[in-house]
């Protein structure tokens, strides 16, 4: 790709890293960058917009995740981009910013013991799972950062 780089050869130090990033910025300038990424899956139950979802091991369909359920039910695979009924395809967001109301900017959010819900306070009871889901960057936007479930004993 002649003409797309100005900083080659890259030095093996911080200056080289800066050169790589500047060249990357130049080559990406005309491309559309999406704020979210996800996948489509069939819902086996009704889901609301912003609900935390898990994938059922038996068929891969998604439903409402729950910190007091099984290990599968506590393994969050994404968030519902829009509300969908059982049997419909729902887009599961896994990266980016999720629009939600009622957040407190700067707080981390966890999977709640209510189906599909988020909470600022992680569960503490034995047999429940702690699943960090992300951080509120504004009062209406969650930066998705899904972590694996941790079983409390």
């Amino acid at each position: 790709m002649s003409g797309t780089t100005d900083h080659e050869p890259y030095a093996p130090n911080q200056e080289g890293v800066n050169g790589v990033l500047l060249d990357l910025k130049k080559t990406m300038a005309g491309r559309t960058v999406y704020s979210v990424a996800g996948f489509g899956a069939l819902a086996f139950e009704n889901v609301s917009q912003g609900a935390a979802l898990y994938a059922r091991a038996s068929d891969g369909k998604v439903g409402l995740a729950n910190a007091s359920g099984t290990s599968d039910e506590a393994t969050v695979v994404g968030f519902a981009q829009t509300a969908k009924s059982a049997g419909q395809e729902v887009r599961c967001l896994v990266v980016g910013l999720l629009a939600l109301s009622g957040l407190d900017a700067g707080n981390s959010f966890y999977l709640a013991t209510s189906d599909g819900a988020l909470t600022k306070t992680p569960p503490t009871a034995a047999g429940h799972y702690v699943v960090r889901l992300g951080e509120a960057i504004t009062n209406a936007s969650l930066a998705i950062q899904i972590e694996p479930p941790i079983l409390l004993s």
Side-chain angles (χ1 to χ4, degrees), residues 61-118:
K61 293 180 180 179
V62 296
L64 301 173
N66 190 312
S68 62
T70 65
S71 175
D72 278 351
E73 293 169 337
T75 302
V76 176
V77 296
F79 296 93
Q81 186 173 21
T82 58
K84 295 292 180 175
S85 298
Q88 290 186 311
E89 183 171 306
V90 60
R91 181 156 166 80
C92 303
L93 303 181
V94 297
V95 174
L97 301 177
L98 176 65
L100 284 176
S101 60
L103 302 175
D104 292 322
N107 285 335
S108 290
F109 282 81
Y110 301 86
L111 182 62
T113 56
S114 301
D115 288 344
L118 286 70

Side-chain angles (χ1 to χ4, degrees), residues 20-147:
V20 168
L21 293 174
L22 288 170
D23 287 345
L24 177 63
K25 180 179 175 184
K26 283 185 178 182
T27 61
M28 297 291 290
R31 301 195 180 170
T32 302
V33 177
Y34 296 96
S35 62
V36 295
F39 64 94
L42 289 178
F44 67 82
E45 63 183 331
N46 296 342
V47 298
S48 57
Q49 186 275 332
L53 305 174
Y54 81 98
R56 202 162 52 185
S58 61
D59 58 10
K61 293 180 180 179
V62 296
L64 301 173
N66 190 312
S68 62
T70 65
S71 175
D72 278 351
E73 293 169 337
T75 302
V76 176
V77 296
F79 296 93
Q81 186 173 21
T82 58
K84 295 292 180 175
S85 298
Q88 290 186 311
E89 183 171 306
V90 60
R91 181 156 166 80
C92 303
L93 303 181
V94 297
V95 174
L97 301 177
L98 176 65
L100 284 176
S101 60
L103 302 175
D104 292 322
N107 285 335
S108 290
F109 282 81
Y110 301 86
L111 182 62
T113 56
S114 301
D115 288 344
L118 286 70
T119 180
K120 290 186 288 187
T121 308
T124 57
H128 290 183
Y129 291 87
V130 174
V131 185
R132 186 174 181 277
L133 300 175
E135 182 178 335
I137 59 168
T138 69
N139 290 343
S141 186
L142 180 80
I144 300 171
Q145 302 162 337
I146 301 169
E147 294 182 7

